[in-house]
Amino acid sequence: MLGKWLTNQTVNIVDSVNDWKEAIQLCAAPLLKNKAITPNYIDAIFQLHESIGPYYVLAPGIAMPHARPEQGVNQLGLSMLLVKQGVKFNSEDNDPVYLITLLAASDSTSHIDMLTQLATLFGNTDDMQTIFNAQHSDQILSVINRY
């Protein structure tokens, strides 16, 4: 199921980024390109982060930035960025973050199956280690395609 959303076009790996904002912008780029989101969606994530903190850092090394559907989502979408050297999101217990998965939900229900599969993936230590150690997006996709 995740393989429908996470593909060679939406999964990327970079060595490093300057900061958390750059990480989110790089992760969001494929969803901007395919018009799943508008630039307003990224701005909304930044504004939420500034006002309430890194609410989307879920666990050590894992972040899932998202905002409300009406803040710039055109259609359901998902993208993933692995930052090999990690990036600080100012999440005391979970920094540095290595895997950013940007979620664009077009309504309050259509993404529930996607979240269930992501939660299963994030809970599998071996698969997450394979993703964290990936050198190429194909290595990430080989794990993703099992979910």
Side-chain angles (χ1 to χ4, degrees), residues 41 44 48 66-73 105 108:
Y41 193 68
L48 282 165
H66 60 281
R68 303 272 317 142
E70 64 273 13
Q71 293 177 299
V73 177
S108 62

Side-chain angles (χ1 to χ4, degrees), residues 48-126:
L48 282 165
H49 181 116
E50 298 292 344
S51 65
I52 62 173
Y55 60 95
Y56 49 80
V57 179
L58 306 178
I62 301 171
M64 192 178 337
H66 60 281
R68 303 272 317 142
E70 64 273 13
Q71 293 177 299
V73 177
N74 294 322
Q75 63 192 34
L76 186 61
L78 196 63
S79 60
M80 188 175 275
L81 178 72
L82 177 65
V83 180
K84 297 296 292 173
Q85 293 186 18
V87 58
K88 289 190 176 177
F89 278 81
N90 300 315
S91 175
E92 190 176 316
D93 296 332
N94 299 313
D95 276 339
V97 168
Y98 298 96
L99 189 68
I100 299 105
T101 304
L102 195 132
L103 172 66
S106 53
D107 57 43
S108 62
T109 58
S110 61
H111 62 291
I112 301 298
D113 288 342
M114 187 184 286
L115 285 177
T116 301
Q117 291 303 308
L118 284 167
T120 304
L121 167 63
F122 295 158
N124 186 313
T125 307
D126 292 340

Side-chain angles (χ1 to χ4, degrees), residues 29-38 72-75:
L31 298 181
L32 281 170
K33 185 178 178 182
N34 72 17
K35 302 196 182 336
I37 60 170
T38 68
V73 177
N74 294 322
Q75 63 192 34

